[in-house]
Amino acid sequence: MKKVLSVVGARPQFVKAAMVSRALGATRGIAEVLVHTGQHYDRNMSAVFFRELGVPRPRLNLGIGSAAHGAQTGRMLEALERAMMRERPHRVLVYGDTNSTLAGALAAAKLRIPVAHVEAGLRSFDRSMPEEVNRVAADHVSDLLFAPTSAAVANLRGEGVAARRIMLTGDVMFDAALFYAERAERRSTALARLGLARGHYVLATVHRAGNTDEPRRLAAIFGALARLATECPVLVPVHPRTRAALARAGVRESPGLILVEPVGYLDMVMLEKNARLIATDSGGVQKEAYFHRVPCATLRERTEWVELVRAGWNRLVPPVSAARVHRDLRRMLTDFRRPAAAPGLYGAGDAARRIAAALRAR
């Protein structure tokens, strides 16, 4: 029996792990140990996701919590090393680009435990983003790299990664979108609860340090959203980091701008599916917008999901000023012409099954 120790810590990883853990549970010869670092730790950021998604309860919750990048990663490294030495897994599985990803990959590599990375090969080519540093480092200490797209494969090959270490699987987030869409329709009451009409609101999310830690960028984004809210309801589920940053920057709530606590996954799916436009700095939300065929404005200079920009579903909107962001968002509301879907862009919806099979075979 092969033991796989899976490391998760943040909302997007819970979604990916929901699909992969389900596939691992259906695969003979594999036992999974799920470890939650506690990077996202409050009810709205963590517990509700496990319950809604049916993710197995973590064997270990390390309870690391918030801290500066170095301190948080260091605490995770120490705690994960102890967990790995105790559990003695055959392989460690990490997801995405968070500090939990980096700590899990480094702890395993130091202990000479093989590492597999789900969502490998993504590149924004912006090393000022902590996420970019995390994903590059995780890729280069992993021996098995599960790439979601052909562009990700090309990035890895361009960095000298051997072809035998790379597997094009498709995207587990696409698996999740297919699996949970109907469940969201049945269970979510988000639209009625928030008084929103299908196709008549903008959904916005802001959490990247490059936006929340820069007062001018944060003010530009929320200034633009406030102006847009005079024309169309704008809903913003507010990440705890963003709420604290808004208070520090003195950004006040505006009429029509609906600021709410983070929502559960099924509510988020419902809100994404029925938005007229999504504005976000989240990589995962960019893809989910496409899965639900909703136009997306990415509040950054670059994106790791370059294929969405090329396909015409995603437009980059750098937050240089409130006037510029408002102008670009308003143009998307009024002038956006939906391009054709790009079949197969993120696989066939069987990425988790392919990952589980590879983990069994290796």
Side-chain angles (χ1 to χ4, degrees), residues 204-208 210-212 214-228 234 236 246 251 257 279-281 299-300 317-323 325-326 329:
T205 75
V206 183
H207 79 279
R208 296 271 180 181
N211 287 330
T212 61
E214 296 290 337
R216 290 180 62 182
R217 293 170 69 92
L218 193 66
I221 292 169
F222 278 86
L225 294 177
R227 290 177 63 179
L228 198 66
V234 178
V236 190
L246 289 169
V251 178
L257 190 59
T280 186
D281 59 8
L299 302 168
R300 289 157 49 184
V317 179
V320 293
S321 71
V325 175
H326 175 256
L329 295 181

Side-chain angles (χ1 to χ4, degrees), residues 5-18 21 32-40 46 50 55-56 58 60-62 76 80 93-95 98 100-101 104:
L5 187 147
S6 300
V7 178
V8 296
R11 284 168 59 120
Q13 294 169 331
F14 307 151
V15 179
K16 296 162 196 167
S21 292
E32 183 187 26
V33 175
L34 190 65
V35 178
H36 182 2
T37 65
Q39 182 172 336
H40 283 173
S46 177
F50 284 92
V55 181
L60 298 169
N61 190 323
L62 304 180
M76 289 177 181
L80 285 167
L93 183 65
V94 297
Y95 294 85
T98 69
S100 298
T101 310

Side-chain angles (χ1 to χ4, degrees), residues 75-105:
R75 292 170 191 165
M76 289 177 181
L77 265 169
E78 183 179 12
L80 285 167
E81 183 179 62
R82 287 197 301 268
M84 291 174 194
M85 291 175 69
R86 182 169 58 251
E87 294 292 339
R88 302 177 67 84
H90 295 87
R91 185 179 293 278
V92 167
L93 183 65
V94 297
Y95 294 85
D97 57 15
T98 69
N99 288 342
S100 298
T101 310
L102 177 62

